[in-house]
Amino acid sequence: MKKEEVWLWGQEREKRKVKKEEEVKAEKADKYSPTMETVTHLPEVKGGKCFFPFRYRDGIFHDCVQFRVKHKWCSLNETYQGYWKYCSEEDFAKCVFPFWYRHLIYWGCTEDGDSFGKAWCSLTRNYNKDRVWKYCD
């Protein structure tokens, strides 16, 4: 192979790699429309009601979140569309009872399975499936 052919082959390979990355980005964008790039971030909506679970970026959240801000906040839509509010005490996720963990049904907070011996609860009826939880107060 000549030096020019090797260079062209490498260039063609790089084009395919860039195209593949663009396709992956497009697939991700379609997955949770609208994307963060297309969402207008509006000022806080006071008095709105948190929607749980809500989609934000590539995640699904069952409780208030805190990303690079001082206070926890929540979306007012099922898929975050720029409408949000800071969480107050009544907005934080509540334990769901009874819930199923491993092979048992729990009617209250449990320390089972926690490495630190702290009581916790599930935020959905089926912890085994959803794996969403919080420490009990």
Side-chain angles (χ1 to χ4, degrees):
M1 228 185 249
K2 293 181 184 175
K3 197 174 189 180
E4 291 172 10
E5 289 173 343
V6 170
W7 182 78
L8 287 173
W9 179 79
Q11 199 175 29
E12 219 22 68
R13 186 171 166 214
E14 191 61 33
K15 280 182 191 174
R16 278 185 262 138
K17 181 179 173 188
V18 168
K19 185 177 180 184
K20 179 107 174 138
E21 288 172 359
E22 288 171 359
E23 287 171 0
V24 168
K25 281 182 185 177
E27 285 174 10
K28 279 187 177 180
D30 290 341
K31 191 174 182 181
Y32 297 121
S33 296
T35 65
M36 290 309 297
E37 292 77 28
T38 63
V39 170
T40 303
H41 300 283
L42 305 169
E44 177 189 13
V45 176
K46 297 190 186 296
K49 186 172 179 350
C50 292
F51 191 100
F52 295 116
F54 67 91
R55 294 178 188 275
Y56 176 68
R57 295 185 178 167
D58 289 334
I60 297 174
F61 299 92
H62 294 260
D63 201 359
C64 298
V65 294
Q66 187 173 358
F67 294 108
R68 298 184 198 163
V69 293
K70 249 183 184 175
H71 304 286
K72 291 189 174 194
W73 62 274
C74 64
S75 173
L76 303 181
N77 308 91
E78 183 176 2
T79 298
Y80 177 75
Q81 298 173 354
Y83 298 100
W84 62 278
K85 74 171 212 153
Y86 288 117
C87 292
S88 61
E89 192 63 37
E90 58 268 4
D91 294 319
F92 289 100
K94 312 290 186 273
C95 294
V96 174
F97 299 113
F99 67 90
W100 184 29
Y101 172 61
R102 293 187 178 158
H103 299 291
L104 297 174
I105 294 175
Y106 291 84
W107 293 85
C109 295
T110 181
E111 296 173 3
D112 292 354
D114 186 69
S115 304
F116 303 107
K118 289 183 73 175
W120 65 275
C121 65
S122 178
L123 299 181
T124 65
R125 293 231 180 258
N126 188 343
Y127 175 83
N128 298 327
K129 177 181 162 220
D130 303 315
R131 303 205 178 277
V132 182
W133 63 278
K134 74 171 195 165
Y135 282 117
C136 297
D137 300 327

